Amino acid sequence: MISLNVNEKDLQVDVDPETPLLWVLREHLDLPGTKYGCGVAQCGACVVHLEGEAVRSCVTKVKRAENKKVVTIEGLAENNDHPVQQAWTEVDVPQCGYCHSGQIMSAAVLLKENPNPTDEDIDLAMAGNICRCGTYSRIRKAIHVAAEINKSST
Ligand code: FES
Ligand code: FES
């Protein structure tokens, strides 16, 4: 049994400790918002927060998350109203949408670490999140909008 705290809930899962966290979230905990893209840490579709850091859950063994706090897109904000999610809606960022849970999770960590990022900061921080639909300019714009929402709420 592995003890986890996922989206503020303490729970236990009966899985091989080597299992990627992604599959525990999707298959065992019924949290399908975190996506499988490449499986080899190259695309960012599977990003979740582990103790507040953005990690690629496809290559993170569940044992690394034992007794730690995991947050997925489903738990980022109670009403899906995290500033990044608000900005994503306002800018209408997604095209097919597949990459966006990972994009939003990465953007949330970026803004926590750098509340007022430049375009260059955004491009650097988000470089590991691939969007096959090419929504990069809207992602950049939405991150600036989220930074403004954050400022106006403090
Ligand atoms: S699925 Fe994890 S980085 Fe692509
Ligand atoms: S919106 Fe389609 S992959 Fe990003």
Side-chain angles (χ1 to χ4, degrees):
M1 282 286 180
I2 305 269
S3 298
L4 300 170
N5 180 288
V6 179
N7 298 338
E8 304 285 341
K9 284 194 197 117
D10 288 323
L11 37 88
Q12 293 198 314
V13 282
D14 186 9
V15 291
D16 182 334
E18 302 290 315
T19 309
L21 178 60
L22 173 63
W23 300 119
V24 174
L25 296 171
R26 289 183 58 87
E27 305 291 331
H28 295 264
L29 301 178
D30 198 23
L31 292 168
T34 306
K35 302 300 187 203
Y36 171 75
C38 64
V40 289
Q42 296 295 306
C43 75
C46 65
V47 169
V48 298
H49 298 171
L50 179 60
E51 296 286 305
E53 301 289 323
V55 300
R56 286 159 196 252
S57 60
C58 68
V59 291
T60 302
K61 293 173 179 172
V62 67
K63 66 183 182 186
R64 195 179 143 204
E66 185 154 28
N67 297 319
K68 296 197 175 127
K69 281 184 183 291
V70 177
V71 177
T72 71
I73 189 73
E74 291 91 344
L76 185 61
E78 207 167 311
N79 299 308
N80 295 326
D81 61 354
H82 185 283
V84 175
Q85 290 169 304
Q86 291 180 43
W88 242 245
T89 302
E90 189 175 321
V91 176
D92 198 12
V93 178
Q95 191 164 316
C96 81
Y98 196 82
C99 69
H100 283 283
S101 119
Q103 304 276 6
I104 288 168
M105 297 307 277
S106 293
V109 170
L110 161 64
L111 286 171
K112 192 173 56 148
E113 292 171 353
N114 180 356
N116 200 15
T118 63
D119 281 349
E120 291 70 29
D121 294 335
I122 293 170
D123 290 348
L124 194 61
M126 301 296 291
N129 283 81
I130 307 298
C131 175
R132 294 193 65 165
C133 301
T135 62
Y136 298 111
S137 61
R138 294 203 294 277
I139 288 170
R140 200 184 295 131
K141 184 173 173 191
I143 291 173
H144 287 303
V145 169
E148 290 304 317
I149 293 171
N150 272 338
K151 270 187 231 157
S152 63
S153 65
T154 52

Coordinates of all heavy atoms in Angstrom, one line a residue, residues 93-100 103 130-135, ligand 2:
V93 N -7.9 29.8 -24.8 CA -6.6 29.3 -25.2 C -6.7 28.0 -26.0 O -6.1 27.8 -27.1 CB -5.7 29.1 -24.0 CG1 -4.3 28.5 -24.5 CG2 -5.4 30.4 -23.3
P94 N -7.4 26.9 -25.5 CA -7.3 25.6 -26.1 C -7.8 25.5 -27.5 O -8.8 26.2 -27.9 CB -8.1 24.7 -25.2 CG -8.2 25.4 -23.9 CD -8.3 26.9 -24.3
Q95 N -7.2 24.6 -28.3 CA -7.8 24.3 -29.6 C -8.3 22.9 -29.4 O -9.5 22.7 -29.0 CB -6.7 24.3 -30.7 CG -7.3 24.2 -32.0 CD -6.4 24.6 -33.1 OE1 -5.7 25.6 -33.0 NE2 -6.3 23.8 -34.2
C96 N -7.5 21.8 -29.5 CA -8.1 20.5 -29.2 C -8.2 20.3 -27.7 O -9.0 19.5 -27.2 CB -7.2 19.4 -29.8 SG -5.8 18.9 -28.9
G97 N -7.3 21.0 -26.9 CA -7.4 20.9 -25.5 C -6.5 19.9 -24.8 O -6.4 19.9 -23.6
Y98 N -6.0 19.0 -25.6 CA -5.3 17.8 -25.0 C -4.2 18.2 -24.1 O -4.0 17.6 -23.0 CB -4.8 16.8 -26.0 CG -4.5 15.5 -25.5 CD1 -5.5 14.6 -25.3 CD2 -3.2 15.2 -25.1 CE1 -5.2 13.3 -24.7 CE2 -2.9 13.9 -24.6 CZ -3.9 13.0 -24.4 OH -3.6 11.8 -23.8
C99 N -3.4 19.2 -24.5 CA -2.2 19.5 -23.7 C -2.4 20.4 -22.5 O -1.5 20.7 -21.8 CB -1.2 20.2 -24.6 SG -1.7 21.9 -25.2
H100 N -3.7 20.9 -22.4 CA -3.9 22.1 -21.5 C -3.9 21.9 -20.0 O -3.6 22.8 -19.3 CB -5.0 23.0 -22.0 CG -4.6 23.8 -23.2 ND1 -3.8 24.9 -23.1 CD2 -4.8 23.5 -24.5 CE1 -3.5 25.3 -24.3 NE2 -4.1 24.5 -25.2
Q103 N -0.3 22.3 -19.4 CA 0.1 23.7 -19.6 C -0.3 24.5 -18.4 O 0.5 25.3 -17.9 CB -0.6 24.3 -20.9 CG -0.4 23.5 -22.2 CD 0.9 23.9 -22.9 OE1 1.7 24.6 -22.3 NE2 1.1 23.4 -24.0
I130 N 4.6 20.9 -24.8 CA 4.4 20.9 -26.2 C 2.9 21.0 -26.5 O 2.0 20.4 -25.9 CB 4.9 19.6 -26.9 CG1 6.3 19.4 -26.5 CG2 4.7 19.6 -28.4 CD1 7.3 20.4 -26.9
C131 N 2.5 21.9 -27.5 CA 1.2 22.0 -28.0 C 1.2 21.7 -29.5 O 1.6 22.5 -30.3 CB 0.6 23.4 -27.7 SG -1.1 23.5 -28.4
R132 N 0.6 20.6 -29.9 CA 0.6 20.2 -31.3 C -0.3 21.1 -32.1 O -0.2 21.2 -33.3 CB 0.3 18.8 -31.5 CG 1.3 17.9 -30.8 CD 1.1 16.4 -31.2 NE 1.4 16.3 -32.7 CZ 1.6 15.2 -33.3 NH1 1.6 14.1 -32.6 NH2 1.8 15.1 -34.6
C133 N -1.2 21.8 -31.4 CA -2.1 22.7 -32.1 C -1.5 24.1 -32.3 O -2.1 25.0 -32.9 CB -3.4 22.8 -31.4 SG -4.3 21.3 -31.3
G134 N -0.3 24.3 -31.6 CA 0.4 25.6 -31.8 C -0.3 26.7 -31.1 O -0.4 27.9 -31.7
T135 N -0.9 26.5 -29.9 CA -1.6 27.6 -29.2 C -0.6 28.5 -28.4 O -1.0 29.2 -27.5 CB -2.7 27.1 -28.3 OG1 -2.0 26.3 -27.3 CG2 -3.7 26.3 -29.1
Ligands
FES2 S1 -4.5 22.5 -27.9 FE1 -4.2 20.7 -29.0 S2 -2.3 20.0 -28.3 FE2 -2.5 21.9 -27.4

